[in-house]
């Protein structure tokens, strides 16, 4: 059909099929990639645009339905090329983190504001209710819409960037639709690739000839099988744990595993049905769940691990049995958690192209250098032949640490010498990529009569699915954290990662610590109840303090802020408990409850070198560039590192440029994981900037505390009345960067290996936190509404308070999902309508209390916040449910049917009316 429509005020005509999705017309035919696709099913709202002024999902509207109508997309929101008022408000309030939902949010908000210029919070929640955000916890989005006409942006003075509420340095592109996410860019002549996946959890298969298929479909350029992988058909996080094939070799070990890939034009590879492929399946009984995997005679997933135990982590100190025998109170429980899906709104995407004897990969990733090295092994080439160009990342949370489509597009592009692109569908993304490990936990905690903890006995089995991924990380991190942020003299903690025929479990915000806290922090409340001690007081009595030793024998010298967190929460704790008690004196089916949980979290990798290297350059024109290999996945690393860089240099933030991610232009900063980029890469940036500053001062013949003026060439240096110049034009420039001076900095946090009892220094520093959750429980329905969260976090130093709050609010929202609604079931919840994540209506008011107990090693004292933000939320909610109802839930998610069943079992269920 000839589609005529008005887009952003301009008449457009497109030749297209009548049934083509409007989202595809906008993105592919008109190049307006600001409109995003997160599901193609009407579930996520990322594709929201205005059709004749009203918000619609562009993935659900056909070209024929748009005929003759007027469309407004995010690209149409700018006013004469500048950000409009709503976009400015989003920037000011930190309402865009990764930015993939932001166009949809902006369009939904535009629809609302056109109808109702001064909405209240309920109206905002209703109007934006169809757009999902996985990063922000929605609170700052609500703030932005409510305060569109707020004040101006903060521009920090020189030397005052750290601690300022600076707007995201990369924020504007996220608000205009100009940001290039992984599905937004590809060479025009790129072929498309579609992976064909196992429909079975466990099956052998044989492949027949593809000749007939290729004859029938001329647009099918190549069928890739395992035999086509040029190098080693294995990848994985650890050098000794590379057990996952890029394409399965005769046996599929989980539903959704790729067995071959079709490469050709888009229409052809979509037209070929999986049933038409010559694949002969022999279905085998799958191993589902860790109990089945550990049962005698269970089939081994991998020959090298006949008992299906991938790895066991342990920690032992003191004498647990004697301490429990002599304790005044002992509590014990068994807990279960589910697979949890990252549900980033951006499905995996990217393209690869061969350039001579090198390969370039543009894709979403949290770890460019690890991708580079893994892809070199898969292609059988040197690492320096691989260039990773990270796209903007539309959410990661650990799920984009593992390779996904990169081995397939890289192999295809390498063999065909043509660019090849791929975009995962939502069900494909959910079925094939890693999840949070489900855990089965048994724990006992003992205390003396004063409530001082005397022992923790902890055992956890984590379902690591079909391949190792980050299973070893979880098994080694969990024992360290099993005794919580408390001084406990006797600890025995064991964590195992166990293979099953289920989706590989990997990294997800916390590496097993959130599951651990569900068990230990709810048990602590039971202990408090048994001893008749207030839960907050019990935690205060046991909280780690400076000078205390942890269960690994590490003495914490400084930056131990748990007591300050608990003290900060105390007023709200007391008033909320009193309010709940008052409410519960009334009749009715609603009960209010207030729960508390605390946490600690080791920043960076466990007992491993995990350095970061940063460079800062100064060119002949006086332009400053930070070359950062730390990928910003929405958490704000770009802005944080620039703030640190500016202050360490003594330069205005606005004078700094950023080059990020490209492995040809930046050094290895390690992974964006383990809450490590602020602490580790931040320290590296500070060192690099100080190095450059030293070089400039030396050339000027002056020393600290001179003032350097960066304003072009020459750079001026003033100390008292002494004014000097450094003529940059007189210095030789680097061929690679054009810079005349370069500062370098590396930081590797000091840790030691753990011995066989888990003793040593696993982390250089720890974050501490405590959160209060307030809930309303419906005794008739079993539904739980979280009404307020108060979160106190010791972050060392809040480099950017707005971003820290954003991390906390986003973490709380994910913790709420973990507690109440999220459960990934292979084959059943592979989309965003069956798999529920918190919407804007589910996330309550979240008050953030920022505690700053500076770490001497951290840049300006900073530690990390990404993962700590989530850890205490789920146990705080479970404790609040118990406070409201007297019922303890030991399985998450505590869905309404589980809560209702627990209430009925305890004789506490009521009926409405
Ligand atoms: S892409 Fe249209 S609703 Fe998700
Ligand atoms: S900012 Fe909303 S999904 Fe990332």
């Amino acid at each position: 059909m000839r589609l005529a429509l008005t887009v952003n005020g301009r008449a457009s005509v497109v030749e297209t099929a009548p049934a083509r999705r409007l989202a595809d017309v906008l993105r592919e035919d008109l190049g307006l990639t600001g409109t995003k696709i997160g599901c193609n099913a009407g579930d996520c709202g990322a594709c929201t645009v205005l059709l004749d002024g009203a918000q619609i999902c562009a993935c659900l509207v056909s070209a024929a339905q748009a005929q003759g109508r007027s469309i407004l997309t995010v690209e149409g929101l700018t006013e004469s090329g500048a950000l409009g008022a709503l976009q400015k408000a989003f920037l000011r309030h930190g309402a865009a983190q990764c930015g993939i939902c932001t166009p949809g949010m902006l369009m939904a908000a535009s629809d609302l504001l056109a109808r109702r210029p001064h909405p209240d919070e309920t109206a905002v929640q209703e109007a934006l209710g169809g757009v999902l955000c996985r990063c922000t916890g929605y609170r700052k989005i609500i703030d932005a819409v409510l305060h569109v006409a707020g004040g101006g942006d903060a521009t920090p003075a020189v030397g005052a960037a750290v601690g300022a509420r600076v707007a995201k340095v990369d924020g504007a592109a996220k608000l205009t639709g100009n940001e290039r996410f992984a599905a937004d860019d590809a060479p025009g002549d790129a072929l498309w690739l579609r992976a064909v996946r196992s429909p079975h959890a466990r099956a052998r298969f044989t492949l027949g000839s593809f000749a007939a298929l290729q004859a029938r479909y001329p647009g099918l350029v190549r069928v890739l099988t395992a035999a086509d992988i040029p190098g080693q058909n294995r990848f994985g996080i650890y050098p000794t744990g590379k057990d996952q094939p890029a394409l399965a070799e005769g046996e599929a070990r989980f539903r959704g595993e790729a067995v071959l890939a079709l490469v050709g034009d888009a229409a052809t590879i979509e037209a070929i049905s999986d049933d038409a492929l010559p694949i002969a399946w022999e279905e085998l009984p799958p191993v589902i769940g860790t109990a089945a995997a550990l049962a005698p005679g269970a089939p081994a997933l991998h020959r090298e691990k006949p008992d299906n135990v991938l790895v066991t982590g342990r920690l032992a100190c003191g004498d647990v049995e004697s301490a429990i025998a002599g304790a005044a109170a002992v509590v014990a429980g068994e807990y279960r958690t589910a697979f949890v899906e990252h549900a980033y709104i951006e499905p995996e995407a990217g393209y690869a192209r061969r350039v001579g004897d090198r390969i370039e990969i543009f894709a979403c990733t949290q770890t460019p250098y690890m991708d580079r090295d893994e892809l070199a092994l898969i292609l059988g080439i040197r690492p320096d032949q691989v260039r990773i160009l990270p796209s903007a990342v539309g959410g990661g949370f650990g799920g984009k640490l593992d390779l996904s489509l990169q081995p397939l597009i890289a192999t295809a592009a390498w063999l065909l010498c043509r660019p090849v692109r791929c975009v995962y569908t939502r069900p494909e993304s959910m079925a094939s990529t890693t999840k949070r490990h489900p855990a089965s936990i048994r724990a006992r905690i003992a205390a003396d009569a004063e409530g001082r903890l005397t022992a923790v006995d902890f055992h956890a089995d984590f379902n690591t699915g079909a391949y190792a991924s980050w299973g070893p990380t979880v098994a080694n991190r969990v024992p360290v954290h099993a005794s919580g942020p408390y001084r406990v003299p006797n600890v025995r903690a064991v964590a195992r990662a166990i293979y099953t025929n289920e989706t590989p479990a990997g990294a997800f915000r916390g590496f097993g610590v959130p599951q651990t806290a569900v068990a230990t922090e709810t048990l602590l409340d039971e202990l408090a109840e048994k001893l008749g001690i207030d839960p907050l007081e019990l935690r205060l009595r046991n909280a780690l303090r400076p000078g205390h030793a942890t269960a690994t024998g590490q003495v914490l010298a400084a930056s131990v802020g748990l007591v300050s967190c608990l003290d900060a929460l105390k007023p709200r704790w007391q008033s909320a408990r009193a309010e709940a008690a008052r409410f519960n004196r009334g009749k009715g089916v609603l009960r209010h409850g207030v729960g508390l949980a605390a946490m600690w979290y080791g920043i960076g990798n466990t007992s491993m070198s995990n350095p970061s290297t940063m460079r800062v350059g100064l060119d002949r024109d006086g332009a400053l560039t930070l070359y950062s290999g730390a990928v910003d996945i929405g958490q704000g690393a770009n802005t944080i590192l620039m703030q640190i860089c500016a202050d360490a240099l003594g330069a205005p933030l606005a004078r700094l440029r950023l080059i990020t991610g490209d492995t040809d232009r930046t050094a290895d900063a390690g992974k964006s994981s383990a809450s490590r980029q602020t602490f580790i890469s931040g320290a590296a940036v500070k060192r690099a900037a100080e190095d450059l500053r030293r070089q400039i001062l030396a050339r000027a013949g002056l020393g600290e505390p001179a003032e350097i003026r960066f304003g072009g060439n020459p750079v001026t240096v003033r100390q008292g009345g002494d004014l000097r110049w450094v003529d940059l034009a007189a210095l030789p420039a680097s061929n690679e960067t054009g810079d005349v001076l370069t500062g370098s900095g590396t930081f590797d946090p000091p840790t030691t290996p753990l011995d066989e009892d888990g003793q040593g220094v696993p982390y250089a520093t720890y974050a501490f936190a405590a959160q209060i959750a307030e809930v309303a429980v419906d005794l008739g329905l079993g539904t739980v509404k979280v009404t307020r969260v108060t979160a106190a976090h010791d972050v060392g130093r809040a480099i950017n308070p707005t971003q820290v709050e954003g991390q906390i609010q986003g973490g709380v929202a994910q913790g709420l999902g973990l507690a109440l609604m999220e459960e990934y079931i292979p084959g059943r919840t592979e989309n965003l309508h069956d798999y529920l994540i918190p919407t804007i209506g589910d996330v309550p008011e979240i008050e953030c209390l920022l505690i700053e107990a500076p770490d001497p090693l951290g840049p300006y004292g900073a530690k990390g916040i990404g993962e700590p933000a989530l850890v205490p939320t789920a146990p705080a909610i479970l404790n609040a449910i118990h406070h409201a109802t007297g019922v303890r839930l030991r399985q998450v998610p505590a869905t309404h049917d589980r809560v209702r069943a627990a209430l009925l079992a305890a004789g506490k269920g009521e009926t409405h009316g």
Side-chain angles (χ1 to χ4, degrees):
M1 68 176 285
R2 187 171 180 278
L3 171 65
L5 68 179
T6 304
V7 182
N8 300 330
R10 292 170 60 172
S12 300
V13 176
V14 181
E15 291 295 330
T16 187
R20 188 163 165 80
R21 296 172 195 271
L22 176 60
D24 292 334
V25 171
L26 292 170
R27 288 177 55 82
E28 305 293 334
D29 301 340
L30 296 173
L32 295 170
T33 54
T35 299
K36 305 303 177 191
I37 293 178
C39 70
N40 257 339
D43 297 321
C44 74
C47 62
T48 301
V49 298
L50 302 192
L51 180 68
D52 291 339
Q55 59 168 307
I56 50 104
C57 289
C59 72
L60 295 184
V61 171
S62 67
Q65 288 172 301
Q67 180 70 281
R69 302 178 74 179
S70 173
I71 315 289
L72 185 69
T73 72
V74 69
E75 288 90 348
L77 289 184
T78 46
E79 295 162 6
S80 313
L83 295 185
L86 180 62
Q87 291 162 311
K88 281 186 192 158
F90 267 58
L91 193 58
R92 191 169 60 246
H93 286 276
Q97 287 188 19
C98 80
I100 193 82
C101 73
T102 306
M105 289 290 181
L106 287 167
M107 300 319 296
S110 300
D111 175 28
L112 169 70
L113 294 170
R115 288 182 283 110
R116 193 168 160 184
H118 303 291
D120 59 16
E121 184 168 331
T122 306
V124 175
Q125 286 176 323
E126 280 171 7
L128 275 59
V131 188
L132 294 175
C133 175
R134 191 56 157 168
C135 300
T136 62
Y138 303 101
R139 300 310 308 180
K140 292 197 178 291
I141 294 172
I142 294 170
D143 290 346
V145 180
L146 289 176
H147 303 104
V148 170
D153 299 333
T155 305
V158 173
V162 168
R165 290 181 180 271
V166 172
K168 263 183 182 296
V169 296
D170 51 358
K174 297 176 193 294
L175 297 160
T176 56
N178 287 332
E179 187 74 290
R180 308 309 273 176
F181 291 92
D184 295 341
D185 227 347
D189 60 342
L191 295 167
W192 283 81
L193 179 146
R194 177 170 82 80
V196 175
R197 301 182 177 280
S198 170
H200 308 295
R202 181 170 171 237
R204 279 193 276 272
F205 66 91
T206 51
L207 301 176
S209 166
F210 293 95
L213 196 75
Q214 283 172 308
R216 185 171 158 205
Y217 292 101
L220 178 63
V221 175
R222 179 96 185 218
V223 179
L224 289 183
T225 70
D228 295 311
I229 302 295
Q232 116 186 351
N233 186 23
R234 286 284 179 279
F235 66 92
I237 305 306
Y238 289 86
T240 55
K242 295 197 186 298
D243 59 3
Q244 185 161 1
L247 288 167
E249 296 170 355
E251 180 177 352
R253 295 184 175 86
F254 73 96
R255 182 192 143 80
E257 179 161 14
V259 298
L260 57 86
L262 306 175
V263 186
D265 65 63
T268 298
I269 63 168
E270 287 310 319
I272 298 172
S273 134
D274 286 7
D275 294 338
L277 297 168
I279 309 175
W281 293 103
E282 181 196 347
E283 206 176 339
L284 300 168
V287 177
I288 302 297
T290 53
L294 296 170
L301 269 280
H302 300 273
R303 208 176 306 125
E304 321 77 65
K305 302 285 180 185
D307 58 358
N308 288 324
V309 178
L310 164 65
V311 65
T312 302
R314 66 185 295 275
L315 181 152
C317 68
D319 181 347
V320 168
E321 291 303 336
S322 300
I324 287 178
V330 180
V331 288
E334 296 191 9
Y335 300 83
R336 275 200 295 151
T337 74
F339 277 117
V340 184
E341 157 67 19
H342 301 86
Y344 25 74
I345 304 302
E346 179 201 37
E348 293 74 5
Y351 74 84
R353 80 171 152 207
R354 184 169 181 164
V355 183
D357 69 346
R358 300 188 80 209
I359 189 95
E360 291 183 357
I361 314 287
F362 173 86
C364 44
T365 179
Q366 297 180 229
T367 174
Y369 268 84
M370 193 171 77
D371 288 1
R372 184 198 68 163
D373 295 351
E374 291 234 89
L375 289 170
L377 289 172
I378 289 167
L379 295 181
I381 58 180
R382 296 186 315 275
D384 66 7
Q385 290 177 268
V386 181
R387 180 180 190 183
I388 303 294
L389 295 151
S391 67
V393 181
F397 319 114
K400 291 173 181 169
L401 284 166
D402 296 65
L403 292 176
S404 56
L405 46 69
Q406 297 95 329
L408 303 180
I409 56 175
T411 298
W414 186 255
L415 296 177
L416 294 168
C417 295
R418 285 186 63 179
V420 176
R421 72 183 298 198
C422 176
V423 178
Y424 277 5
T425 64
R426 173 58 58 181
E428 179 179 29
S429 169
M430 293 180 73
S432 65
T433 63
T434 59
K435 304 282 168 280
R436 181 183 296 289
H437 286 74
S440 304
I441 299 174
R442 286 192 318 271
R444 292 186 293 169
I445 302 182
D448 64 19
E450 282 74 47
R452 278 188 291 271
L453 300 179
T454 54
V456 169
D457 186 18
F458 178 95
H459 186 284
D461 283 337
F462 289 92
N463 182 344
T464 207
Y467 296 106
S469 181
W470 294 84
T473 310
V474 168
N476 290 319
R477 180 176 278 269
V478 162
V480 176
H481 291 80
S483 50
Y486 311 110
R487 185 149 74 154
V488 188
N490 305 289
V491 179
R492 177 171 57 206
V494 176
R496 300 189 291 184
I498 294 165
Y499 284 124
T500 65
N501 285 118
E502 294 174 84
T503 318
F508 190 167
R509 211 168 186 174
F511 289 112
V513 178
Q515 298 95 307
T516 303
V518 162
T520 54
E521 284 295 313
T522 54
L523 268 182
L524 266 193
D525 261 33
E526 286 192 50
L527 192 64
E529 192 179 6
K530 212 167 190 175
L531 290 164
I533 300 174
D534 176 84
L536 189 144
E537 176 56 32
L538 181 88
R539 288 171 172 85
L540 263 180
R541 245 172 240 188
N542 291 284
L544 285 165
R545 290 165 161 82
H548 283 178
T550 71
T552 72
Q554 177 180 0
V555 176
L556 302 176
S559 194
V560 190
L562 180 58
V563 169
S564 301
C565 291
L566 291 166
D567 283 343
L569 288 180
K570 211 181 256 181
R572 183 63 203 164
W573 174 250
Q574 290 167 344
S575 64
R577 295 279 273 203
E579 283 166 24
R582 269 198 301 281
F583 180 88
N584 291 339
R585 280 201 283 274
K587 294 213 181 310
V589 293
L590 277 190
R591 286 288 176 275
H592 286 184
V594 183
L596 173 80
M599 77 102 227
W600 67 329
Y601 195 81
I603 302 298
N605 297 358
T606 310
S607 284
M608 254 184 221
S609 170
N610 61 134
S612 173
T613 297
M614 290 281 165
R615 290 195 292 261
V616 187
L618 178 65
D619 74 10
R620 281 197 168 138
D621 298 324
L624 289 158
T625 306
L626 170 60
Y627 300 90
S628 164
V631 176
D632 192 325
I633 56 173
Q635 86 282 33
N638 287 346
T639 308
I640 297 288
L641 298 179
M642 292 277 270
Q643 287 177 263
I644 292 169
C645 187
D647 280 10
L649 272 172
L653 184 59
R655 289 211 70 84
L656 280 171
R657 231 168 35 121
L658 177 69
I659 288 177
T660 184
D662 179 346
T663 51
D664 274 10
R665 304 180 74 188
T666 66
D668 188 357
K671 307 165 189 75
S672 288
S673 72
S675 303
R676 60 183 290 286
Q677 292 297 19
T678 296
F679 179 63
I680 299 175
S681 288
V685 166
K686 187 161 182 282
R687 290 174 183 204
E690 287 167 349
D691 180 30
L692 177 58
R693 186 175 165 84
R694 259 191 310 273
Q695 293 179 44
I696 296 166
L697 292 179
R699 288 191 177 273
L702 293 173
E704 298 290 3
E707 179 197 351
I708 305 177
R709 283 257 171 100
F710 297 95
N713 185 39
V715 166
T716 59
V717 184
R718 180 190 295 275
Q719 195 165 42
D722 194 353
L723 184 63
R724 312 249 178 119
W725 289 265
V726 178
D727 181 7
L728 302 174
L731 301 175
S734 152
N735 288 337
E736 247 174 66
T737 62
D739 293 327
V740 293
L741 293 174
T742 301
S744 296
T746 296
F747 179 68
D748 192 2
T751 61
T752 69
L754 298 177
D755 68 15
E756 60 182 18
D757 283 333
Q759 298 298 295
V761 178
Y763 309 101
T765 192
Y766 297 81
F768 294 87
Q771 295 181 359
I772 295 170
E774 298 172 38
V775 303
V777 183
D778 186 315
L779 299 180
L781 300 173
T783 50
V784 177
K785 174 83 185 157
V786 181
T787 55
R788 182 186 162 102
V789 170
T790 312
H793 283 260
D794 165 23
V795 297
R797 175 85 190 271
I799 302 288
N800 185 324
T802 300
Q803 292 204 164
V804 173
E805 290 161 1
Q807 285 299 294
I808 293 172
Q809 291 167 349
V812 166
Q814 288 187 359
L816 189 155
L818 170 69
L820 298 179
M821 61 181 76
E822 297 191 38
E823 182 161 18
Y824 175 77
I825 304 170
R828 281 177 47 197
T829 58
E830 290 169 354
N831 54 63
L832 292 175
H833 51 266
D834 292 313
Y835 186 89
L836 301 179
I837 65 171
T839 68
I840 198 168
D842 293 313
V843 180
E845 181 186 347
I846 301 167
E847 183 184 4
C848 302
L849 306 172
L850 305 188
I851 306 297
E852 296 184 319
D855 186 282
L857 288 173
Y860 300 98
K863 300 190 282 191
I865 183 60
E867 288 154 299
L870 175 146
V871 177
T873 309
I877 291 172
L878 295 182
N879 286 334
I881 294 172
H882 175 263
H883 183 238
T885 65
V887 166
R888 289 228 169 263
L889 276 298
R890 296 182 193 275
Q891 181 177 3
V892 290
T895 47
H896 69 93
D897 53 316
R898 288 182 181 139
V899 175
R900 171 87 175 136
L903 288 167
L904 289 174
K908 300 192 178 210
E910 290 193 11
T911 49
H912 282 266

